[in-house]
Amino acid sequence: MARVDADLAGRMSRWHCWSRRRVINAVDAAVRRCDPDAIRERERQEDRRRLEVTARGDGTAKIDGIVALDAAVAFDARLTELANGVCRADPRTRAQRRTDALKAMAEARRLACLCGATDCPNRSADTAPATRIAINVIAGAHTVLGGGSQPGYIEGYGVIDAEQIRVLAQNATLRLLAEPVVSQAQALRYQPTAAVQRWVRLRDLTCRFPGCDRPAAGCDVDHTIAFNHADPRNGGLTVPWNLKCVCRQHHRDKTFNEGWRDEQLPDGTVVWTSPSGEIYRTTPGGVDLFPDMASAPACQPPTPLARNRSGERTGRIARIRSRNRTLRPINEAHRQLQQARRREIGYRKGRNHMRKMLFILKGRPSTSPYCTWINDPPEPEELPPDWRPPPQHPQPDDPPF
Ligand SMILES: [Zn+2]
Ligand SMILES: [Zn+2]
């Protein structure tokens, strides 16, 4: 706790106008960095997973449960997808549509639209086409490919530990995330390239308005210095250091309501000035979790790319294969080390318990020649981060009472 406290205290002065969710993420990440054994707590919770449907007696029912993280994120994403598959004229609220989508999901159908129009394309609840749910996880390369213990982030969800990242990475498409190079022509086009949009969303993680934490996936990518449609050279460029995520509501407020002004610094910080002259600085959420993402200084010279598609494809396949080969033994070694750490803590707790029992039952050191460790002082029940199992693991022998 002292280490987490010192780590957070050093950075907290920059946490200006952060949302509650973002503070939770920062604390979660700090805990996982300081205490690799926190994984045990997660595993203990995972073992308690359950799902219950209970009648409430008024014709409705309550669904309540604890589920594994990947199941929860996929379930949530699928509900949203089904709920959004109806027209705007559907009379139900978003919450009601998500609830109705549960039945559609159980029956493997689409959610039928209730707008009432005879020509509505979403009227019938046909069998839903099989879809794959995409879950975006951001993590350091050393965590994904090596034995790193830096936590990662599931887009729109929160912080997850290194071991969960490696489990998810085994069946994932990996993409190296680097600040994209933007050509002169692309910088003068209004629409950012897919690579630039992806980078800006992952750098920001949420809406950049002070205190707002709507996930970046649903946000607009906004030009801080407005794009000049008549003369692009005299307006804001379409480059990462002039782009940021803002949710629809705050985008509208900024564009149509006089008063709020914003300025973006090369490191991605946005300085907002309120109508009353109050100043708020918001830093990108991704940079706080992954300091390597801090933006490179602006104005990189564009590098032309000569593409060789078949070569790229062969290279990609080779990279995936070699990654799978390297990943397997690393994951296995990491899992074994975690198991050994848990076992060691269990042994120490067991021995300490027996020492306590000896004191309670006899009140003096044991004189037995068989179990001399029982007279040793209590052992620490926490392991240093660099602890490795000794070559031979002796089981504690029976206490002499
Ligand atoms: Zn409709
Ligand atoms: Zn917002």
Side-chain angles (χ1 to χ4, degrees):
M1 282 178 74
R3 267 190 294 147
V4 171
D5 197 50
D7 175 47
L8 295 177
R11 296 186 287 133
M12 206 177 265
S13 61
R14 299 196 299 274
W15 295 5
H16 199 184
C17 54
W18 275 26
S19 68
R20 184 184 146 79
R21 186 68 247 170
R22 190 165 169 189
V23 174
I24 291 174
N25 283 340
V27 176
D28 279 353
V31 169
R32 279 164 179 75
R33 271 196 293 268
C34 287
D35 179 15
D37 292 325
I39 291 171
R40 275 181 301 137
E41 176 58 21
R42 190 250 302 160
E43 286 179 342
R44 213 165 56 82
Q45 294 298 333
E46 271 179 4
D47 289 344
R48 292 175 55 214
R49 63 186 182 274
R50 61 183 175 80
L51 199 65
E52 279 146 19
V53 183
T54 342
R56 293 178 70 231
D58 55 3
T60 62
K62 185 177 166 185
I63 302 180
D64 182 41
I66 297 171
V67 299
L69 168 96
D70 49 346
V73 177
F75 173 73
D76 192 39
R78 182 77 178 133
L79 274 192
T80 306
E81 188 187 307
L82 286 167
N84 290 345
V86 297
C87 3
R88 292 192 140 252
D90 187 286
R92 291 168 289 184
T93 63
R94 192 181 121 84
Q96 289 168 343
R97 277 183 281 123
R98 271 172 63 88
T99 317
D100 294 352
L102 198 62
K103 181 156 181 276
M105 193 196 286
E107 293 174 350
R109 293 177 180 283
R110 289 172 22 173
L111 182 64
C113 180
L114 297 185
C115 69
T118 44
D119 57 346
C120 169
N122 307 315
R123 239 178 87 188
S124 72
D126 303 333
T127 310
T131 49
R132 284 173 67 108
I133 298 289
I135 302 175
N136 291 323
V137 182
I138 316 164
H142 184 52
T143 307
V144 178
L145 301 173
S149 58
Q150 289 287 317
Y153 182 83
I154 292 197
E155 203 181 25
Y157 171 82
V159 171
I160 57 169
D161 61 61
E163 203 168 301
Q164 275 180 308
I165 293 167
R166 279 187 283 268
V167 171
L168 292 175
Q170 281 174 322
N171 300 312
T173 310
L174 297 192
R175 182 179 265 147
L176 185 65
L177 199 63
E179 180 156 359
V181 176
V182 182
S183 73
Q184 193 80 34
Q186 287 167 339
L188 294 174
R189 238 176 267 144
Y190 178 66
Q191 187 70 25
T193 63
V196 169
Q197 285 199 36
R198 189 161 53 231
W199 170 259
V200 171
R201 284 186 205 282
L202 295 180
R203 180 199 64 193
D204 289 357
L205 297 184
T206 60
C207 168
R208 296 296 306 279
F209 195 79
C212 182
D213 62 1
R214 294 204 177 94
C219 285
D220 297 334
V221 174
D222 172 52
H223 286 78
T224 302
I225 303 171
F227 186 82
N228 186 336
H229 289 272
D231 180 9
R233 279 172 199 282
N234 272 326
L237 296 176
T238 305
V239 287
W241 47 268
N242 189 42
L243 294 169
K244 63 179 181 303
C245 291
V246 271
C247 67
R248 197 46 68 81
Q249 183 200 332
H250 290 127
H251 198 179
R252 233 176 250 157
D253 284 1
K254 180 203 145 180
T255 313
F256 300 113
N257 297 346
E258 289 294 310
W260 281 93
R261 276 180 293 121
D262 54 345
E263 186 196 337
Q264 189 164 345
L265 308 182
D267 68 351
T269 303
V270 180
V271 183
W272 297 86
T273 310
S274 79
S276 57
E278 217 70 60
I279 291 189
Y280 301 92
R281 303 165 73 89
T282 67
T283 49
V287 175
D288 191 69
L289 294 175
F290 308 99
D292 296 350
M293 279 182 100
S295 204
C299 300
Q300 291 168 342
T303 6
L305 281 172
R307 299 202 73 168
N308 166 1
R309 286 186 193 274
S310 77
E312 280 172 19
R313 192 182 129 79
T314 325
R316 198 165 56 233
I317 292 171
R319 275 197 302 280
I320 292 172
R321 288 196 179 140
S322 105
R323 188 192 75 216
N324 286 344
R325 268 197 303 275
T326 35
L327 205 56
R328 236 170 269 134
I330 291 168
N331 274 330
E332 183 54 25
H334 182 81
R335 212 174 47 80
Q336 282 183 1
L337 174 62
Q338 293 303 326
Q339 269 176 4
R341 289 177 69 93
R342 283 192 286 273
R343 221 167 21 230
E344 174 69 17
I345 292 173
Y347 290 152
R348 290 183 179 195
K349 283 187 172 163
R351 287 195 293 260
N352 285 345
H353 176 73
M354 289 178 194
R355 288 180 185 118
K356 212 162 71 189
M357 292 309 289
L358 174 79
F359 183 78
I360 291 170
L361 296 174
K362 290 187 110 178
R364 58 182 167 75
S366 160
T367 48
S368 159
Y370 297 110
C371 181
T372 48
W373 58 261
I374 197 99
N375 296 323
D376 295 343
E379 296 163 80
E381 294 182 4
E382 261 177 35
L383 297 176
D386 57 351
W387 183 89
R388 293 292 176 275
Q392 277 296 315
H393 232 340
Q395 292 278 342
D397 34 50
D398 286 330
F401 51 84

